[in-house]
Amino acid sequence: MFKRFLMVFLTLIIAVAAVFLAAKHPTGPNTVSFDEPAGLWISIGMIIALFLPPLILSLFSNRAVIILSAVYQAFVVIAFLGIIPIGFLFPNNAGVSIIAGLGALVSIASVVVTLKSRTVKEVKF
């Protein structure tokens, strides 16, 4: 249980770091930047809100909950994989691609750890 929670939490930290790196080098007027802190805090709040279900689901040991958590985390992997080419398309955003690649690797590892975790087996009398 602790490994699953730690992996999801580490993925959350990497996602927030990616937002901060993207805010450091904004690509246009409608992107996240440090010039508009309200938009930055809203983006970070949305990321935290979207990571609450897998964080909560990582605390349970039921097999159905574990599979549901792994499916949810697979969407996070897809999101990180989508950010990788975007970072290379814009100048000064190679760091975003690097942290997105790191996030994708950690997310994939989180899915593997989640699926490999064992459920609590009942004691037979």
Side-chain angles (χ1 to χ4, degrees):
M1 176 179 78
F2 180 71
K3 283 193 257 183
R4 291 184 308 207
F5 185 82
L6 184 66
M7 293 295 285
V8 174
F9 186 73
L10 185 61
T11 307
L12 169 65
I13 298 299
I14 291 173
V16 171
V19 169
F20 280 128
L21 278 176
K24 186 177 180 182
H25 301 289
T27 57
N30 296 325
T31 58
V32 175
S33 69
F34 287 119
D35 295 334
E36 294 182 24
L40 179 66
W41 286 110
I42 289 172
S43 297
I44 292 171
M46 287 176 57
I47 288 173
I48 292 172
L50 290 172
F51 269 92
L52 281 178
L55 280 172
I56 293 169
L57 290 174
S58 68
L59 299 174
F60 297 100
S61 296
N62 188 351
R63 193 65 171 159
V65 173
I66 288 173
I67 292 171
L68 183 65
S69 177
V71 169
Y72 195 98
Q73 291 177 42
F75 289 116
V76 174
V77 172
I78 293 169
F80 274 122
L81 291 175
I83 294 172
I84 293 172
I86 292 171
F88 286 123
L89 292 175
F90 296 106
N92 298 326
N93 280 340
V96 174
S97 292
I98 292 170
I99 199 151
L102 179 66
L105 291 175
V106 170
S107 297
I108 291 169
S110 178
V111 170
V112 169
V113 166
T114 300
L115 289 176
K116 287 221 174 232
S117 64
R118 304 226 176 197
T119 59
V120 178
K121 295 187 178 180
E122 297 179 16
V123 178
K124 295 182 180 178
F125 291 100

PDB file of all heavy atoms in Angstrom, residues 20-57:
ATOM      1  N   PHE A  20       5.124  24.209 -13.316  1.00  0.00           N
ATOM      2  CA  PHE A  20       6.033  25.308 -12.989  1.00  0.00           C
ATOM      3  C   PHE A  20       7.041  25.565 -14.098  1.00  0.00           C
ATOM      4  O   PHE A  20       7.355  26.716 -14.408  1.00  0.00           O
ATOM      5  CB  PHE A  20       6.757  25.041 -11.676  1.00  0.00           C
ATOM      6  CG  PHE A  20       5.940  25.343 -10.455  1.00  0.00           C
ATOM      7  CD1 PHE A  20       5.792  24.403  -9.453  1.00  0.00           C
ATOM      8  CD2 PHE A  20       5.316  26.567 -10.292  1.00  0.00           C
ATOM      9  CE1 PHE A  20       5.051  24.670  -8.326  1.00  0.00           C
ATOM     10  CE2 PHE A  20       4.558  26.860  -9.174  1.00  0.00           C
ATOM     11  CZ  PHE A  20       4.428  25.904  -8.187  1.00  0.00           C
ATOM     12  N   LEU A  21       7.556  24.508 -14.715  1.00  0.00           N
ATOM     13  CA  LEU A  21       8.477  24.699 -15.841  1.00  0.00           C
ATOM     14  C   LEU A  21       7.781  25.313 -17.043  1.00  0.00           C
ATOM     15  O   LEU A  21       8.360  26.149 -17.751  1.00  0.00           O
ATOM     16  CB  LEU A  21       9.117  23.369 -16.235  1.00  0.00           C
ATOM     17  CG  LEU A  21      10.306  22.945 -15.401  1.00  0.00           C
ATOM     18  CD1 LEU A  21      10.787  21.567 -15.832  1.00  0.00           C
ATOM     19  CD2 LEU A  21      11.431  23.942 -15.520  1.00  0.00           C
ATOM     20  N   ALA A  22       6.557  24.914 -17.291  1.00  0.00           N
ATOM     21  CA  ALA A  22       5.803  25.501 -18.399  1.00  0.00           C
ATOM     22  C   ALA A  22       5.489  26.964 -18.117  1.00  0.00           C
ATOM     23  O   ALA A  22       5.458  27.791 -19.034  1.00  0.00           O
ATOM     24  CB  ALA A  22       4.520  24.719 -18.643  1.00  0.00           C
ATOM     25  N   ALA A  23       5.267  27.316 -16.863  1.00  0.00           N
ATOM     26  CA  ALA A  23       4.977  28.703 -16.511  1.00  0.00           C
ATOM     27  C   ALA A  23       6.218  29.578 -16.599  1.00  0.00           C
ATOM     28  O   ALA A  23       6.121  30.787 -16.790  1.00  0.00           O
ATOM     29  CB  ALA A  23       4.399  28.772 -15.102  1.00  0.00           C
ATOM     30  N   LYS A  24       7.375  28.973 -16.487  1.00  0.00           N
ATOM     31  CA  LYS A  24       8.621  29.731 -16.567  1.00  0.00           C
ATOM     32  C   LYS A  24       8.841  30.295 -17.964  1.00  0.00           C
ATOM     33  O   LYS A  24       9.352  31.400 -18.124  1.00  0.00           O
ATOM     34  CB  LYS A  24       9.791  28.832 -16.164  1.00  0.00           C
ATOM     35  CG  LYS A  24      11.103  29.546 -16.077  1.00  0.00           C
ATOM     36  CD  LYS A  24      12.189  28.607 -15.601  1.00  0.00           C
ATOM     37  CE  LYS A  24      13.512  29.337 -15.519  1.00  0.00           C
ATOM     38  NZ  LYS A  24      14.580  28.430 -15.099  1.00  0.00           N
ATOM     39  N   HIS A  25       8.468  29.537 -18.979  1.00  0.00           N
ATOM     40  CA  HIS A  25       8.621  29.951 -20.378  1.00  0.00           C
ATOM     41  C   HIS A  25       7.273  29.886 -21.084  1.00  0.00           C
ATOM     42  O   HIS A  25       7.006  28.945 -21.835  1.00  0.00           O
ATOM     43  CB  HIS A  25       9.621  29.052 -21.110  1.00  0.00           C
ATOM     44  CG  HIS A  25      10.979  29.051 -20.501  1.00  0.00           C
ATOM     45  ND1 HIS A  25      11.822  30.120 -20.575  1.00  0.00           N
ATOM     46  CD2 HIS A  25      11.637  28.106 -19.795  1.00  0.00           C
ATOM     47  CE1 HIS A  25      12.944  29.842 -19.955  1.00  0.00           C
ATOM     48  NE2 HIS A  25      12.856  28.612 -19.458  1.00  0.00           N
ATOM     49  N   PRO A  26       6.387  30.867 -20.885  1.00  0.00           N
ATOM     50  CA  PRO A  26       5.083  30.823 -21.559  1.00  0.00           C
ATOM     51  C   PRO A  26       5.234  30.999 -23.062  1.00  0.00           C
ATOM     52  O   PRO A  26       6.117  31.710 -23.532  1.00  0.00           O
ATOM     53  CB  PRO A  26       4.312  31.989 -20.930  1.00  0.00           C
ATOM     54  CG  PRO A  26       5.350  32.903 -20.398  1.00  0.00           C
ATOM     55  CD  PRO A  26       6.528  32.055 -20.046  1.00  0.00           C
ATOM     56  N   THR A  27       4.388  30.324 -23.800  1.00  0.00           N
ATOM     57  CA  THR A  27       4.484  30.367 -25.268  1.00  0.00           C
ATOM     58  C   THR A  27       3.505  31.331 -25.899  1.00  0.00           C
ATOM     59  O   THR A  27       3.559  31.560 -27.097  1.00  0.00           O
ATOM     60  CB  THR A  27       4.234  28.964 -25.842  1.00  0.00           C
ATOM     61  OG1 THR A  27       2.954  28.516 -25.402  1.00  0.00           O
ATOM     62  CG2 THR A  27       5.318  28.004 -25.402  1.00  0.00           C
ATOM     63  N   GLY A  28       2.590  31.877 -25.137  1.00  0.00           N
ATOM     64  CA  GLY A  28       1.610  32.799 -25.696  1.00  0.00           C
ATOM     65  C   GLY A  28       0.794  33.459 -24.606  1.00  0.00           C
ATOM     66  O   GLY A  28       1.016  33.217 -23.411  1.00  0.00           O
ATOM     67  N   PRO A  29      -0.157  34.283 -24.998  1.00  0.00           N
ATOM     68  CA  PRO A  29      -0.938  35.002 -23.987  1.00  0.00           C
ATOM     69  C   PRO A  29      -1.954  34.141 -23.241  1.00  0.00           C
ATOM     70  O   PRO A  29      -2.402  34.523 -22.172  1.00  0.00           O
ATOM     71  CB  PRO A  29      -1.655  36.078 -24.805  1.00  0.00           C
ATOM     72  CG  PRO A  29      -1.759  35.493 -26.174  1.00  0.00           C
ATOM     73  CD  PRO A  29      -0.519  34.657 -26.358  1.00  0.00           C
ATOM     74  N   ASN A  30      -2.298  32.992 -23.768  1.00  0.00           N
ATOM     75  CA  ASN A  30      -3.321  32.146 -23.141  1.00  0.00           C
ATOM     76  C   ASN A  30      -2.737  30.921 -22.450  1.00  0.00           C
ATOM     77  O   ASN A  30      -3.442  29.933 -22.257  1.00  0.00           O
ATOM     78  CB  ASN A  30      -4.342  31.703 -24.188  1.00  0.00           C
ATOM     79  CG  ASN A  30      -5.105  32.873 -24.760  1.00  0.00           C
ATOM     80  OD1 ASN A  30      -5.379  33.828 -24.047  1.00  0.00           O
ATOM     81  ND2 ASN A  30      -5.433  32.799 -26.031  1.00  0.00           N
ATOM     82  N   THR A  31      -1.475  30.973 -22.090  1.00  0.00           N
ATOM     83  CA  THR A  31      -0.849  29.847 -21.417  1.00  0.00           C
ATOM     84  C   THR A  31      -0.565  30.196 -19.960  1.00  0.00           C
ATOM     85  O   THR A  31      -0.675  31.340 -19.538  1.00  0.00           O
ATOM     86  CB  THR A  31       0.473  29.458 -22.109  1.00  0.00           C
ATOM     87  OG1 THR A  31       1.339  30.598 -22.111  1.00  0.00           O
ATOM     88  CG2 THR A  31       0.234  28.988 -23.522  1.00  0.00           C
ATOM     89  N   VAL A  32      -0.189  29.200 -19.207  1.00  0.00           N
ATOM     90  CA  VAL A  32       0.129  29.395 -17.795  1.00  0.00           C
ATOM     91  C   VAL A  32       1.439  30.165 -17.695  1.00  0.00           C
ATOM     92  O   VAL A  32       2.407  29.857 -18.388  1.00  0.00           O
ATOM     93  CB  VAL A  32       0.263  28.028 -17.082  1.00  0.00           C
ATOM     94  CG1 VAL A  32       0.711  28.186 -15.660  1.00  0.00           C
ATOM     95  CG2 VAL A  32      -1.034  27.270 -17.140  1.00  0.00           C
ATOM     96  N   SER A  33       1.456  31.199 -16.848  1.00  0.00           N
ATOM     97  CA  SER A  33       2.687  31.962 -16.647  1.00  0.00           C
ATOM     98  C   SER A  33       2.712  32.508 -15.229  1.00  0.00           C
ATOM     99  O   SER A  33       1.686  32.570 -14.549  1.00  0.00           O
ATOM    100  CB  SER A  33       2.794  33.107 -17.658  1.00  0.00           C
ATOM    101  OG  SER A  33       1.828  34.092 -17.379  1.00  0.00           O
ATOM    102  N   PHE A  34       3.901  32.911 -14.812  1.00  0.00           N
ATOM    103  CA  PHE A  34       4.043  33.505 -13.491  1.00  0.00           C
ATOM    104  C   PHE A  34       3.479  34.921 -13.448  1.00  0.00           C
ATOM    105  O   PHE A  34       3.291  35.477 -12.367  1.00  0.00           O
ATOM    106  CB  PHE A  34       5.512  33.516 -13.067  1.00  0.00           C
ATOM    107  CG  PHE A  34       6.035  32.160 -12.699  1.00  0.00           C
ATOM    108  CD1 PHE A  34       7.089  31.592 -13.394  1.00  0.00           C
ATOM    109  CD2 PHE A  34       5.475  31.445 -11.657  1.00  0.00           C
ATOM    110  CE1 PHE A  34       7.579  30.349 -13.051  1.00  0.00           C
ATOM    111  CE2 PHE A  34       5.947  30.202 -11.301  1.00  0.00           C
ATOM    112  CZ  PHE A  34       7.006  29.655 -12.004  1.00  0.00           C
ATOM    113  N   ASP A  35       3.205  35.512 -14.608  1.00  0.00           N
ATOM    114  CA  ASP A  35       2.619  36.852 -14.652  1.00  0.00           C
ATOM    115  C   ASP A  35       1.178  36.867 -14.170  1.00  0.00           C
ATOM    116  O   ASP A  35       0.684  37.887 -13.695  1.00  0.00           O
ATOM    117  CB  ASP A  35       2.672  37.417 -16.078  1.00  0.00           C
ATOM    118  CG  ASP A  35       4.099  37.622 -16.546  1.00  0.00           C
ATOM    119  OD1 ASP A  35       4.982  37.812 -15.679  1.00  0.00           O
ATOM    120  OD2 ASP A  35       4.333  37.588 -17.769  1.00  0.00           O
ATOM    121  N   GLU A  36       0.495  35.744 -14.324  1.00  0.00           N
ATOM    122  CA  GLU A  36      -0.883  35.605 -13.847  1.00  0.00           C
ATOM    123  C   GLU A  36      -0.926  34.489 -12.799  1.00  0.00           C
ATOM    124  O   GLU A  36      -1.187  33.324 -13.127  1.00  0.00           O
ATOM    125  CB  GLU A  36      -1.820  35.276 -14.998  1.00  0.00           C
ATOM    126  CG  GLU A  36      -1.945  36.384 -16.018  1.00  0.00           C
ATOM    127  CD  GLU A  36      -2.923  36.035 -17.106  1.00  0.00           C
ATOM    128  OE1 GLU A  36      -3.809  35.197 -16.867  1.00  0.00           O
ATOM    129  OE2 GLU A  36      -2.784  36.602 -18.192  1.00  0.00           O
ATOM    130  N   PRO A  37      -0.674  34.832 -11.542  1.00  0.00           N
ATOM    131  CA  PRO A  37      -0.608  33.778 -10.525  1.00  0.00           C
ATOM    132  C   PRO A  37      -1.939  33.076 -10.266  1.00  0.00           C
ATOM    133  O   PRO A  37      -1.953  31.923  -9.856  1.00  0.00           O
ATOM    134  CB  PRO A  37      -0.126  34.509  -9.262  1.00  0.00           C
ATOM    135  CG  PRO A  37      -0.298  35.950  -9.534  1.00  0.00           C
ATOM    136  CD  PRO A  37      -0.356  36.140 -11.011  1.00  0.00           C
ATOM    137  N   ALA A  38      -3.053  33.754 -10.530  1.00  0.00           N
ATOM    138  CA  ALA A  38      -4.350  33.101 -10.310  1.00  0.00           C
ATOM    139  C   ALA A  38      -4.516  31.905 -11.250  1.00  0.00           C
ATOM    140  O   ALA A  38      -4.961  30.824 -10.835  1.00  0.00           O
ATOM    141  CB  ALA A  38      -5.484  34.089 -10.510  1.00  0.00           C
ATOM    142  N   GLY A  39      -4.171  32.084 -12.509  1.00  0.00           N
ATOM    143  CA  GLY A  39      -4.254  30.982 -13.468  1.00  0.00           C
ATOM    144  C   GLY A  39      -3.305  29.856 -13.120  1.00  0.00           C
ATOM    145  O   GLY A  39      -3.629  28.673 -13.302  1.00  0.00           O
ATOM    146  N   LEU A  40      -2.131  30.208 -12.620  1.00  0.00           N
ATOM    147  CA  LEU A  40      -1.157  29.194 -12.217  1.00  0.00           C
ATOM    148  C   LEU A  40      -1.680  28.377 -11.040  1.00  0.00           C
ATOM    149  O   LEU A  40      -1.605  27.144 -11.049  1.00  0.00           O
ATOM    150  CB  LEU A  40       0.173  29.862 -11.855  1.00  0.00           C
ATOM    151  CG  LEU A  40       1.297  28.951 -11.398  1.00  0.00           C
ATOM    152  CD1 LEU A  40       1.728  28.045 -12.535  1.00  0.00           C
ATOM    153  CD2 LEU A  40       2.461  29.775 -10.895  1.00  0.00           C
ATOM    154  N   TRP A  41      -2.250  29.042 -10.042  1.00  0.00           N
ATOM    155  CA  TRP A  41      -2.781  28.331  -8.885  1.00  0.00           C
ATOM    156  C   TRP A  41      -4.004  27.497  -9.238  1.00  0.00           C
ATOM    157  O   TRP A  41      -4.209  26.418  -8.671  1.00  0.00           O
ATOM    158  CB  TRP A  41      -3.104  29.292  -7.750  1.00  0.00           C
ATOM    159  CG  TRP A  41      -1.857  29.775  -7.077  1.00  0.00           C
ATOM    160  CD1 TRP A  41      -1.342  31.026  -7.126  1.00  0.00           C
ATOM    161  CD2 TRP A  41      -0.943  28.998  -6.289  1.00  0.00           C
ATOM    162  NE1 TRP A  41      -0.172  31.079  -6.406  1.00  0.00           N
ATOM    163  CE2 TRP A  41       0.095  29.842  -5.887  1.00  0.00           C
ATOM    164  CE3 TRP A  41      -0.913  27.672  -5.894  1.00  0.00           C
ATOM    165  CZ2 TRP A  41       1.150  29.409  -5.106  1.00  0.00           C
ATOM    166  CZ3 TRP A  41       0.140  27.235  -5.112  1.00  0.00           C
ATOM    167  CH2 TRP A  41       1.153  28.095  -4.722  1.00  0.00           C
ATOM    168  N   ILE A  42      -4.804  27.976 -10.172  1.00  0.00           N
ATOM    169  CA  ILE A  42      -5.956  27.186 -10.624  1.00  0.00           C
ATOM    170  C   ILE A  42      -5.475  25.920 -11.324  1.00  0.00           C
ATOM    171  O   ILE A  42      -6.023  24.827 -11.111  1.00  0.00           O
ATOM    172  CB  ILE A  42      -6.871  28.026 -11.524  1.00  0.00           C
ATOM    173  CG1 ILE A  42      -7.605  29.072 -10.688  1.00  0.00           C
ATOM    174  CG2 ILE A  42      -7.871  27.148 -12.271  1.00  0.00           C
ATOM    175  CD1 ILE A  42      -8.381  30.078 -11.498  1.00  0.00           C
ATOM    176  N   SER A  43      -4.439  26.039 -12.149  1.00  0.00           N
ATOM    177  CA  SER A  43      -3.887  24.862 -12.838  1.00  0.00           C
ATOM    178  C   SER A  43      -3.332  23.849 -11.846  1.00  0.00           C
ATOM    179  O   SER A  43      -3.568  22.640 -11.981  1.00  0.00           O
ATOM    180  CB  SER A  43      -2.785  25.287 -13.802  1.00  0.00           C
ATOM    181  OG  SER A  43      -3.294  26.105 -14.805  1.00  0.00           O
ATOM    182  N   ILE A  44      -2.605  24.333 -10.858  1.00  0.00           N
ATOM    183  CA  ILE A  44      -2.052  23.426  -9.853  1.00  0.00           C
ATOM    184  C   ILE A  44      -3.175  22.789  -9.033  1.00  0.00           C
ATOM    185  O   ILE A  44      -3.136  21.595  -8.731  1.00  0.00           O
ATOM    186  CB  ILE A  44      -1.046  24.176  -8.957  1.00  0.00           C
ATOM    187  CG1 ILE A  44       0.185  24.553  -9.785  1.00  0.00           C
ATOM    188  CG2 ILE A  44      -0.640  23.333  -7.764  1.00  0.00           C
ATOM    189  CD1 ILE A  44       1.139  25.477  -9.089  1.00  0.00           C
ATOM    190  N   GLY A  45      -4.199  23.564  -8.705  1.00  0.00           N
ATOM    191  CA  GLY A  45      -5.337  23.011  -7.972  1.00  0.00           C
ATOM    192  C   GLY A  45      -6.075  21.950  -8.755  1.00  0.00           C
ATOM    193  O   GLY A  45      -6.515  20.940  -8.192  1.00  0.00           O
ATOM    194  N   MET A  46      -6.217  22.159 -10.067  1.00  0.00           N
ATOM    195  CA  MET A  46      -6.871  21.152 -10.901  1.00  0.00           C
ATOM    196  C   MET A  46      -6.052  19.872 -10.964  1.00  0.00           C
ATOM    197  O   MET A  46      -6.615  18.764 -10.939  1.00  0.00           O
ATOM    198  CB  MET A  46      -7.109  21.704 -12.307  1.00  0.00           C
ATOM    199  CG  MET A  46      -8.212  22.729 -12.364  1.00  0.00           C
ATOM    200  SD  MET A  46      -8.422  23.484 -13.984  1.00  0.00           S
ATOM    201  CE  MET A  46      -8.693  22.064 -15.008  1.00  0.00           C
ATOM    202  N   ILE A  47      -4.736  20.007 -11.047  1.00  0.00           N
ATOM    203  CA  ILE A  47      -3.883  18.818 -11.071  1.00  0.00           C
ATOM    204  C   ILE A  47      -4.023  18.040  -9.768  1.00  0.00           C
ATOM    205  O   ILE A  47      -4.160  16.814  -9.764  1.00  0.00           O
ATOM    206  CB  ILE A  47      -2.413  19.208 -11.342  1.00  0.00           C
ATOM    207  CG1 ILE A  47      -2.266  19.645 -12.789  1.00  0.00           C
ATOM    208  CG2 ILE A  47      -1.475  18.057 -11.035  1.00  0.00           C
ATOM    209  CD1 ILE A  47      -0.922  20.212 -13.121  1.00  0.00           C
ATOM    210  N   ILE A  48      -4.001  18.751  -8.652  1.00  0.00           N
ATOM    211  CA  ILE A  48      -4.151  18.076  -7.356  1.00  0.00           C
ATOM    212  C   ILE A  48      -5.521  17.411  -7.257  1.00  0.00           C
ATOM    213  O   ILE A  48      -5.637  16.281  -6.773  1.00  0.00           O
ATOM    214  CB  ILE A  48      -3.898  19.069  -6.208  1.00  0.00           C
ATOM    215  CG1 ILE A  48      -2.420  19.474  -6.204  1.00  0.00           C
ATOM    216  CG2 ILE A  48      -4.302  18.482  -4.865  1.00  0.00           C
ATOM    217  CD1 ILE A  48      -2.072  20.586  -5.256  1.00  0.00           C
ATOM    218  N   ALA A  49      -6.559  18.102  -7.716  1.00  0.00           N
ATOM    219  CA  ALA A  49      -7.898  17.517  -7.677  1.00  0.00           C
ATOM    220  C   ALA A  49      -7.992  16.270  -8.558  1.00  0.00           C
ATOM    221  O   ALA A  49      -8.667  15.295  -8.195  1.00  0.00           O
ATOM    222  CB  ALA A  49      -8.933  18.541  -8.114  1.00  0.00           C
ATOM    223  N   LEU A  50      -7.320  16.276  -9.707  1.00  0.00           N
ATOM    224  CA  LEU A  50      -7.351  15.107 -10.588  1.00  0.00           C
ATOM    225  C   LEU A  50      -6.506  13.954 -10.053  1.00  0.00           C
ATOM    226  O   LEU A  50      -6.715  12.804 -10.440  1.00  0.00           O
ATOM    227  CB  LEU A  50      -6.894  15.490 -11.996  1.00  0.00           C
ATOM    228  CG  LEU A  50      -7.869  16.362 -12.771  1.00  0.00           C
ATOM    229  CD1 LEU A  50      -7.246  16.844 -14.073  1.00  0.00           C
ATOM    230  CD2 LEU A  50      -9.147  15.598 -13.051  1.00  0.00           C
ATOM    231  N   PHE A  51      -5.546  14.249  -9.177  1.00  0.00           N
ATOM    232  CA  PHE A  51      -4.735  13.184  -8.587  1.00  0.00           C
ATOM    233  C   PHE A  51      -5.325  12.649  -7.283  1.00  0.00           C
ATOM    234  O   PHE A  51      -4.828  11.657  -6.752  1.00  0.00           O
ATOM    235  CB  PHE A  51      -3.297  13.667  -8.340  1.00  0.00           C
ATOM    236  CG  PHE A  51      -2.382  13.416  -9.488  1.00  0.00           C
ATOM    237  CD1 PHE A  51      -2.193  14.362 -10.474  1.00  0.00           C
ATOM    238  CD2 PHE A  51      -1.707  12.221  -9.600  1.00  0.00           C
ATOM    239  CE1 PHE A  51      -1.351  14.135 -11.534  1.00  0.00           C
ATOM    240  CE2 PHE A  51      -0.858  11.971 -10.654  1.00  0.00           C
ATOM    241  CZ  PHE A  51      -0.685  12.936 -11.630  1.00  0.00           C
ATOM    242  N   LEU A  52      -6.363  13.272  -6.753  1.00  0.00           N
ATOM    243  CA  LEU A  52      -6.972  12.758  -5.521  1.00  0.00           C
ATOM    244  C   LEU A  52      -7.566  11.359  -5.669  1.00  0.00           C
ATOM    245  O   LEU A  52      -7.367  10.517  -4.780  1.00  0.00           O
ATOM    246  CB  LEU A  52      -8.020  13.731  -5.001  1.00  0.00           C
ATOM    247  CG  LEU A  52      -7.479  14.947  -4.252  1.00  0.00           C
ATOM    248  CD1 LEU A  52      -8.622  15.852  -3.836  1.00  0.00           C
ATOM    249  CD2 LEU A  52      -6.658  14.537  -3.060  1.00  0.00           C
ATOM    250  N   PRO A  53      -8.300  11.041  -6.761  1.00  0.00           N
ATOM    251  CA  PRO A  53      -8.824   9.665  -6.866  1.00  0.00           C
ATOM    252  C   PRO A  53      -7.749   8.583  -6.843  1.00  0.00           C
ATOM    253  O   PRO A  53      -7.881   7.619  -6.071  1.00  0.00           O
ATOM    254  CB  PRO A  53      -9.605   9.681  -8.187  1.00  0.00           C
ATOM    255  CG  PRO A  53     -10.009  11.091  -8.354  1.00  0.00           C
ATOM    256  CD  PRO A  53      -8.878  11.899  -7.797  1.00  0.00           C
ATOM    257  N   PRO A  54      -6.660   8.681  -7.634  1.00  0.00           N
ATOM    258  CA  PRO A  54      -5.670   7.602  -7.525  1.00  0.00           C
ATOM    259  C   PRO A  54      -4.952   7.587  -6.170  1.00  0.00           C
ATOM    260  O   PRO A  54      -4.559   6.522  -5.702  1.00  0.00           O
ATOM    261  CB  PRO A  54      -4.697   7.858  -8.669  1.00  0.00           C
ATOM    262  CG  PRO A  54      -4.922   9.230  -9.104  1.00  0.00           C
ATOM    263  CD  PRO A  54      -6.318   9.583  -8.738  1.00  0.00           C
ATOM    264  N   LEU A  55      -4.792   8.756  -5.541  1.00  0.00           N
ATOM    265  CA  LEU A  55      -4.185   8.763  -4.208  1.00  0.00           C
ATOM    266  C   LEU A  55      -5.075   8.043  -3.203  1.00  0.00           C
ATOM    267  O   LEU A  55      -4.587   7.257  -2.389  1.00  0.00           O
ATOM    268  CB  LEU A  55      -3.935  10.204  -3.744  1.00  0.00           C
ATOM    269  CG  LEU A  55      -2.687  10.881  -4.291  1.00  0.00           C
ATOM    270  CD1 LEU A  55      -2.682  12.354  -3.911  1.00  0.00           C
ATOM    271  CD2 LEU A  55      -1.442  10.202  -3.784  1.00  0.00           C
ATOM    272  N   ILE A  56      -6.363   8.303  -3.264  1.00  0.00           N
ATOM    273  CA  ILE A  56      -7.287   7.646  -2.346  1.00  0.00           C
ATOM    274  C   ILE A  56      -7.417   6.160  -2.676  1.00  0.00           C
ATOM    275  O   ILE A  56      -7.425   5.306  -1.783  1.00  0.00           O
ATOM    276  CB  ILE A  56      -8.657   8.348  -2.373  1.00  0.00           C
ATOM    277  CG1 ILE A  56      -8.528   9.763  -1.792  1.00  0.00           C
ATOM    278  CG2 ILE A  56      -9.704   7.553  -1.606  1.00  0.00           C
ATOM    279  CD1 ILE A  56      -9.739  10.638  -1.998  1.00  0.00           C
ATOM    280  N   LEU A  57      -7.488   5.836  -3.961  1.00  0.00           N
ATOM    281  CA  LEU A  57      -7.622   4.432  -4.352  1.00  0.00           C
ATOM    282  C   LEU A  57      -6.380   3.611  -4.000  1.00  0.00           C
ATOM    283  O   LEU A  57      -6.468   2.395  -3.826  1.00  0.00           O
ATOM    284  CB  LEU A  57      -7.903   4.326  -5.850  1.00  0.00           C
ATOM    285  CG  LEU A  57      -9.277   4.810  -6.315  1.00  0.00           C
ATOM    286  CD1 LEU A  57      -9.362   4.772  -7.833  1.00  0.00           C
ATOM    287  CD2 LEU A  57     -10.375   3.984  -5.692  1.00  0.00           C
TER     288      LEU A  57
END
